[in-house]
Amino acid sequence: MKKIGLIPARYGATRFPGKMMADLGGKTVILRTYESTVNTGVFDEVMVVTDSDIIYNEIISHGGKAIMSKKEHESGSDRIAEAVADMDVDIVVNVQGDEPFTQREPLEKLLQVFEGEAGKNVQVASLMQELHDEASIADPNYVKVAVDKNFNALFFSRSVIPYPRNKEIKPVYYEHIGIYAFRRQTLMDFTQWPMTPLESAEKIECLRYLENGVPMKMVLTSYMGVEIDTPEDLVKAAKYL
């Protein structure tokens, strides 16, 4: 299977405008993300997909590969779908542009679910990690996912799921990590479907798959590094260098 990693990156982030070009220990966030993704060694090719000349030039000037989006897009999935429309590729992984410490192990585990006889039925997969902090579990900025015994997603929500009505049971809470792997055609199908009711209510795009009857395989990981959403996150990230 041909596997590519695409990093959607826009300049005008709502909570932290220009964060992709923010300095992180002498390199920009987007350059560190690109380099760490390449260094995982799990992809046949890695490219940044952006609507910004600034980000495009940042990657190209450092010898990397980048693609300029031709249209305005609502989501990263839409942006990378435009990029792969004419590509000969089997598996596409959407790597978040604000994850400068991307590592091999989670991406390798994500790609493995498409292999073998069981993998033939997997159309889309994503990552999750256990949540233990009660404040994070209750925080709507942390998207939670409930899974079945085969680790297929049952539901995604900003609310607390499962709700602990039975106080004698200690449920396991999982946070959805927004790194996706798709079969090419599944990604193209996604962009043609209209936004679905639950997706609109929760503002969680992967609910569109579930509402259209497409199972999503979830992969448990224990390491995701630091996602940079705010200037405070950038300060935390600097401590990892």
Side-chain angles (χ1 to χ4, degrees), residues 18-219:
K19 69 177 181 180
M20 296 295 179
M21 293 298 296
D23 179 78
L24 179 58
K27 292 184 179 181
T28 59
V29 169
I30 187 60
L31 182 60
R32 284 195 180 276
T33 301
Y34 175 81
E35 290 179 344
S36 63
T37 304
V38 171
N39 290 338
T40 64
V42 301
F43 298 113
D44 296 296
E45 197 168 20
V46 176
M47 289 174 278
V48 170
V49 186
T50 184
D51 59 356
S52 165
D53 289 330
I54 296 172
I55 293 174
Y56 177 88
N57 290 331
E58 169 72 358
I59 298 301
I60 296 298
S61 66
H62 287 89
K65 295 182 180 181
I67 300 172
M68 281 292 295
S69 297
K70 299 175 184 176
K71 304 175 183 176
E72 293 290 324
H73 294 290
E74 289 291 323
S75 71
S77 295
D78 292 314
R79 190 179 306 283
I80 65 173
E82 178 195 300
V84 303
D86 298 317
M87 290 186 186
D88 180 18
V89 61
D90 299 297
I91 305 296
V92 181
V93 177
N94 178 346
V95 179
Q96 300 299 311
D98 54 10
E99 291 275 2
F101 304 109
T102 297
Q103 290 195 357
R104 178 186 178 95
E105 184 261 351
L107 295 177
E108 196 170 42
K109 289 173 69 175
L110 188 61
L111 290 167
Q112 283 172 352
V113 302
F114 293 91
E115 298 174 356
E117 196 62 31
K120 291 180 180 178
N121 294 322
V122 177
Q123 299 299 311
V124 57
S126 194
L127 293 171
M128 65 182 185
Q129 63 183 352
E130 285 192 26
L131 272 179
H132 301 286
D133 178 61
E134 291 187 8
S136 299
I137 292 169
D139 189 338
N141 289 314
Y142 286 76
V143 174
K144 275 70 71 175
V145 55
V147 296
D148 67 16
K149 63 181 182 180
N150 296 313
F151 280 77
N152 291 309
L154 293 169
F155 193 61
F156 297 86
S157 182
R158 298 183 184 278
S159 300
V160 177
I161 54 170
Y163 179 79
R165 183 176 180 182
N166 185 343
K167 303 303 180 183
E168 296 179 3
I169 295 177
K170 297 295 183 183
V172 178
Y173 292 98
Y174 295 112
E175 178 194 4
H176 177 224
I177 304 297
I179 295 180
Y180 301 89
F182 325 83
R183 292 195 184 277
R184 179 189 171 281
Q185 189 55 53
T186 304
L187 173 60
M188 302 310 295
D189 290 343
F190 174 88
T191 62
Q192 299 304 309
W193 297 329
M195 187 177 289
T196 47
L198 293 174
E199 176 192 7
S200 297
E202 291 267 10
K203 296 300 181 186
I204 301 172
E205 70 174 48
C206 54
L207 283 168
R208 195 184 311 179
Y209 286 107
L210 302 189
E211 290 185 85
N212 280 281
V214 177
M216 180 178 289
K217 179 70 74 174
M218 301 304 298
V219 176

